[in-house]
Amino acid sequence: MPTALGISPTSRAPSSGTGAATTGGAPDAVLGEMREDLALLATVLRRPHPARDRTDLARTAAGISGLVAIVQHDRGDQADAHRWFATAAKAARESGDRRMTAWVLGRHAMVGLNYGVPGQAARIAAQARREAGARPSGAAALAAAVNARALAAVGDLPGVRRAVDDVRTLAEQLDGPESADTWFGYPAQKHAVHLSQAYTLLGGTRSAYRAQDEALGLTTSPSVMTRALIAMDTAACLRVDGDPGAAAAMAAAVYDRLPPAYRTGLVHSRAQLLHRHLDGAPRQLLGDALA
């Protein structure tokens, strides 16, 4: 992929967490930094190009549009995230790059997954997994991981087991750029973050705690959002384990410590999910933090 626009398959992501703004860079700031790339891309695409160059440009457009969609996802702007993902998918298909198409679809599935439409997420993730094909790749692993989380959210236990086996097998076979901490790679830390959420949604707290410990051990950057999301998973597990008071206290403390730029969107959605499963004093405590 051309690097003139600042995006390549090996471009290091702001984080290896679930989204674009999970390393300390707030979503609005990350989006602001991409404006120059977006403006340059629009200018370049208006010009005529040979077929080969057009293919490369389409791949670049897919990558940049996908990144904008991820930022909008993190900010909680679901409608705009869907629009940008649709643009990215169209460009990815025009490029003929199936792995890019699978990556875009896998990321797109996370909108429904993280904002209460898990059935939609499972459908898009399954499509992404088919697009990725049999060869191990970061895109295939991402699709399998998101599919596992979506199936856990809808309570499809056999489906979750198949998807978890799939993503574990894929992750073990990845190396080089496919397992690197980049926008398009699937590193061990990202794997642990996804497994934490899948097991949390399933209520498998022992496996979830193990994945959370692994994810935190592999998270070396500030990763404000990633650490907050892992903590919300831990709080949800505490509730499942019969301690709603500790769950609410932990989630409220995490939320209170977040900088204002992170108190909307993804972390807020995760905290609201926990809030809906609480009652009495714990519900009041977390509700006050979210108000």
Side-chain angles (χ1 to χ4, degrees):
M1 187 185 303
T3 58
L5 297 170
I7 298 295
S8 76
T10 56
S11 295
R12 184 172 178 82
S15 166
S16 55
T18 57
T22 47
T23 65
D28 288 348
V30 174
L31 191 61
E33 291 168 2
M34 295 175 65
R35 285 176 182 157
E36 184 177 345
D37 280 348
L38 288 167
L40 177 57
L41 178 62
T43 299
V44 171
L45 287 174
R46 283 195 291 268
R47 302 170 185 161
H49 300 280
R52 182 175 178 179
D53 290 348
R54 189 77 188 180
T55 295
D56 287 342
L57 285 169
R59 189 183 299 113
T60 300
I64 293 180
S65 299
L67 301 187
V68 175
I70 292 168
V71 175
Q72 296 299 70
H73 159 270
D74 287 0
R75 295 177 67 245
D77 191 337
Q78 300 169 54
D80 206 43
H82 282 302
R83 283 192 290 270
W84 277 103
F85 276 124
T87 297
K90 181 179 179 180
R93 291 191 174 98
E94 181 180 343
S95 77
D97 187 332
R98 291 187 63 184
R99 283 196 298 176
M100 175 61 79
T101 303
W103 178 80
V104 169
L105 291 173
R107 289 287 191 169
H108 190 180
M110 293 175 69
V111 181
L113 175 62
N114 287 314
Y115 293 103
V117 195
Q120 176 196 77
R123 289 191 297 273
I124 297 176
Q127 184 183 358
R129 184 66 189 91
R130 289 192 298 271
E131 193 71 37
R135 179 176 296 182
S137 67
L142 171 70
V146 177
N147 197 32
R149 291 171 58 183
L151 292 171
V154 299
D156 182 354
L157 184 56
V160 175
R161 288 172 176 160
R162 289 192 297 271
V164 167
D165 286 346
D166 186 24
V167 70
R168 287 189 184 279
T169 299
L170 288 166
E172 289 170 358
Q173 298 178 71
L174 299 181
D175 57 18
E178 299 298 334
S179 62
D181 184 10
T182 67
W183 283 113
F184 306 105
Y186 188 82
Q189 187 259 16
K190 186 180 294 183
H191 181 56
V193 170
H194 281 293
L195 288 182
S196 166
Q197 175 66 180
Y199 287 128
T200 297
L201 290 170
L202 273 179
T205 59
R206 182 176 299 179
S207 295
Y209 289 138
R210 191 159 50 240
Q212 289 153 24
D213 288 342
E214 183 179 355
L216 288 172
L218 292 168
T219 302
T220 57
S221 63
S223 303
V224 174
M225 191 180 294
T226 295
R227 293 180 184 277
L229 292 172
I230 293 170
M232 290 296 176
D233 281 353
T234 301
C237 288
L238 290 172
R239 183 198 67 83
V240 172
D241 285 343
D243 197 343
M250 182 174 189
V254 169
Y255 198 79
D256 283 341
R257 289 195 299 268
L258 283 174
Y262 294 91
R263 292 189 180 186
T264 59
L266 190 51
V267 179
H268 189 264
S269 175
R270 194 73 58 85
Q272 282 185 314
L273 178 62
L274 174 60
H275 182 254
R276 288 196 293 270
H277 287 91
L278 296 171
D279 54 27
R283 181 181 176 89
Q284 182 65 46
L285 175 63
L286 183 53
D288 289 345
L290 294 173

